[in-house]
């Protein structure tokens, strides 16, 4: 942990900023790039983020609390309803909202219409953030994308960025900072995320499953951390002991996640362990189980048990 100091000046800016957009536009990647640390789960598959997560950027001039939200899509089950509700709820708690879109978007689909509808009811300043500008050279595509959205949402600012390349991130921060209220920081200067270690652990494991499996598996999984014993809480332990269960909703998915002779599960476990050791700063022993619970995404009770409660 760093020992960052925040100057006690009356000009200090602090506020909450939600990132909203359809799945896979790069909302979580933007946060990771800004914080220069991989805090939020990212994958090439849509609907990676399920909960509104607070990630904190602290500089000498400002503290910006980003609320990463699940990509907006038309819900197909109770988990989908939960995710949409998370995004909606986030808007009631922020000073600004960034509508994140992709350079190259050329028409408005169902998801965009849901988002525009949410935004028009929210009554907070909107910044149009056009991500993935690295995919095109010149600024013609950027301006075309802006044209597509501008009239629908009347943004107070428009910012082109690339989370992947880190392009224009300073301008993005300056833009946000200029619109945030003057007030002292809410969180300690060295805090990056407002989540528990258990939540973080489950997210890291889920991210690795998304990274190591094909299209059909990811949406059917959830991760519960059954046991989390850290050396901080249990000084007699030299290593952090974590036991977690991966819930899948079909038998076939269990086989895919375990892989031949357990090879896939081993890959997932190893990658998750390395990430967790980096995050927590101590050695980790990680034990993973896979369990089938048919239809868990459709059951409100099951979702509540898995930590997705409305
Ligand atoms: N080329 C390019 N790819 C990017 C950029 N930002 C993110 N990506 C990729 O886009 C994919 C989705 O990124 P995420 O950050 O998980 O997207 P998200 O909007 O949080 O997605 P959900 O959580 O599913 O709503 C990943 O494969 C990223 O590597 C960018 O600036 N340029
Ligand atoms: Mg995300």
């Amino acid at each position: 942990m760093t020992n960052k100091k925040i100057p006690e000046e009356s000009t200090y800016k602090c506020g909450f900023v939600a990132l909203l957009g359809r799945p896979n536009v790069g909302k979580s990647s933007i946060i990771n790039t800004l914080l220069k640390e991989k805090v939020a789960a990212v994958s090439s598959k849509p609907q990676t983020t399920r909960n509104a997560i607070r990630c904190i950027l602290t500089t000498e001039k400002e503290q910006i609390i980003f609320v990463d939200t699940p990509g907006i899509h038309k819900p197909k089950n109770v988990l989908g309803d939960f995710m949409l509700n998370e995004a909606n709820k986030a808007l009631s708690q922020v000073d600004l909202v960034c509508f994140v879109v992709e350079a190259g978007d050329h028409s408005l689909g169902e998801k965009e219409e849901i988002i525009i509808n949410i935004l028009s009811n929210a009554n907070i300043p909107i910044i149009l953030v056009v991500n993935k500008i690295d995919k095109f050279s010149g600024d013609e595509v950027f301006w075309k994308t802006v044209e597509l959205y501008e009239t629908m949402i009347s943004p107070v600012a428009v910012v082109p960025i690339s989370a992947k390349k880190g392009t224009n991130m300073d301008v993005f921060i300056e833009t946000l900072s200029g619109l945030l209220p003057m007030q002292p920081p809410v969180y300690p200067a060295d805090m990056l995320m407002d989540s528990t270690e258990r939540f973080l652990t489950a997210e890291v494991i889920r991210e690795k499953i998304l990274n190591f499996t094909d299209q059909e598996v990811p949406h059917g999984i959830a991760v519960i951390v059954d046991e989390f014993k850290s050396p901080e809480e249990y000084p007699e332990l030299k290593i952090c002991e974590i036991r977690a269960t991966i819930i899948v909703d079909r038998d076939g998915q269990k086989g895919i996640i375990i892989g031949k002779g357990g090879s896939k599960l081993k890959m997932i476990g190893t990658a998750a362990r390395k990430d967790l050791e980096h995050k927590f700063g101590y050695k980790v022993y990680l034990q993973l189980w896979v369990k089938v619970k048919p239809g868990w995404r459709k059951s409100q009770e099951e979702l509540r048990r898995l930590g997705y409660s409305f």
Side-chain angles (χ1 to χ4, degrees), residues 24 26-29 40-43 47-50 68-71:
N24 226 31
K27 300 175 292 298
S28 303
S29 302
V42 165
S43 89
Q47 297 171 37
T48 298
T49 305
R50 284 182 181 164
D68 189 11
T69 66

Side-chain angles (χ1 to χ4, degrees), residues 49-53 69-90 199 203 206 296-297 299-300 303-304 306-310:
T49 305
R50 284 182 181 164
N51 312 68
I53 306 170
T69 66
I72 306 276
H73 61 286
K74 198 159 190 248
K76 292 200 183 79
N77 47 44
V78 189
L79 177 63
D81 291 338
F82 167 83
M83 287 160 73
L84 185 59
N85 189 49
E86 280 284 282
N88 253 313
K89 211 168 59 189
F199 175 78
E203 283 290 279
R206 207 166 54 79
W296 68 266
R297 285 177 294 169
S299 152
Q300 192 132 18
L303 280 166
R304 202 171 311 122
L306 294 170
Y308 300 107
S309 55
F310 286 76

Side-chain angles (χ1 to χ4, degrees), residues 191-241:
M191 196 163 161
L192 284 177
M193 242 182 142
D194 181 9
S195 321
T196 62
E197 285 175 322
R198 273 176 183 258
F199 175 78
L200 264 174
T201 301
E203 283 290 279
V204 167
I205 298 167
R206 207 166 54 79
E207 182 194 64
K208 300 311 168 204
I209 301 168
L210 294 184
N211 289 338
F212 287 118
T213 55
D214 295 328
Q215 215 65 37
E216 43 143 353
V217 178
H219 303 315
I221 59 149
V223 176
I224 332 178
V225 175
D226 306 298
E227 190 173 52
F228 187 100
K229 285 180 160 176
S230 78
E232 270 166 42
E233 261 179 281
Y234 298 86
E236 70 276 15
L237 295 177
K238 290 202 171 52
I239 187 165
C240 183
E241 289 183 12

Side-chain angles (χ1 to χ4, degrees), residues 225-266:
V225 175
D226 306 298
E227 190 173 52
F228 187 100
K229 285 180 160 176
S230 78
E232 270 166 42
E233 261 179 281
Y234 298 86
E236 70 276 15
L237 295 177
K238 290 202 171 52
I239 187 165
C240 183
E241 289 183 12
I242 305 174
R243 284 171 188 84
T245 307
I246 300 166
I247 309 285
V248 295
D249 65 1
R250 270 184 287 120
D251 256 333
Q253 297 182 336
K254 183 173 175 175
I256 295 172
I257 288 185
I258 292 175
K260 243 193 191 150
S263 56
K264 184 62 80 51
L265 191 62
K266 200 166 172 197

Side-chain angles (χ1 to χ4, degrees), residues 87-249:
N88 253 313
K89 211 168 59 189
L91 286 193
S92 63
Q93 302 160 354
V94 296
D95 302 286
L96 297 172
V97 56
C98 292
F99 180 18
V100 184
V101 300
E102 258 192 63
D105 284 358
H106 45 72
S107 60
L108 301 180
E110 190 181 46
K111 294 175 192 125
E112 282 72 25
E113 270 157 28
I114 302 176
I115 297 166
I116 289 166
N117 193 23
I118 291 174
L119 289 174
S120 61
N121 291 323
N123 202 23
I124 21 176
I126 304 165
I127 293 150
L128 180 64
V129 178
V130 182
N131 189 30
K132 308 198 186 182
I133 54 161
D134 57 282
K135 285 167 87 174
F136 302 93
S137 56
D139 55 8
E140 196 186 329
V141 173
F142 162 70
W143 286 115
K144 277 228 164 91
T145 310
V146 172
E147 230 169 77
L148 176 69
Y149 291 102
E150 211 169 25
T151 49
M152 311 294 294
I153 54 160
S154 319
V156 291
V158 173
V159 194
I161 58 165
S162 162
K164 191 175 182 176
K165 298 267 155 80
T167 315
N168 228 15
M169 289 306 196
D170 45 351
V171 174
F172 181 38
I173 295 175
E174 252 171 59
T175 308
L176 296 177
S177 189
L179 293 161
L180 288 177
M182 259 188 262
Q183 58 177 340
V186 172
Y187 290 98
D190 51 12
M191 196 163 161
L192 284 177
M193 242 182 142
D194 181 9
S195 321
T196 62
E197 285 175 322
R198 273 176 183 258
F199 175 78
L200 264 174
T201 301
E203 283 290 279
V204 167
I205 298 167
R206 207 166 54 79
E207 182 194 64
K208 300 311 168 204
I209 301 168
L210 294 184
N211 289 338
F212 287 118
T213 55
D214 295 328
Q215 215 65 37
E216 43 143 353
V217 178
H219 303 315
I221 59 149
V223 176
I224 332 178
V225 175
D226 306 298
E227 190 173 52
F228 187 100
K229 285 180 160 176
S230 78
E232 270 166 42
E233 261 179 281
Y234 298 86
E236 70 276 15
L237 295 177
K238 290 202 171 52
I239 187 165
C240 183
E241 289 183 12
I242 305 174
R243 284 171 188 84
T245 307
I246 300 166
I247 309 285
V248 295
D249 65 1

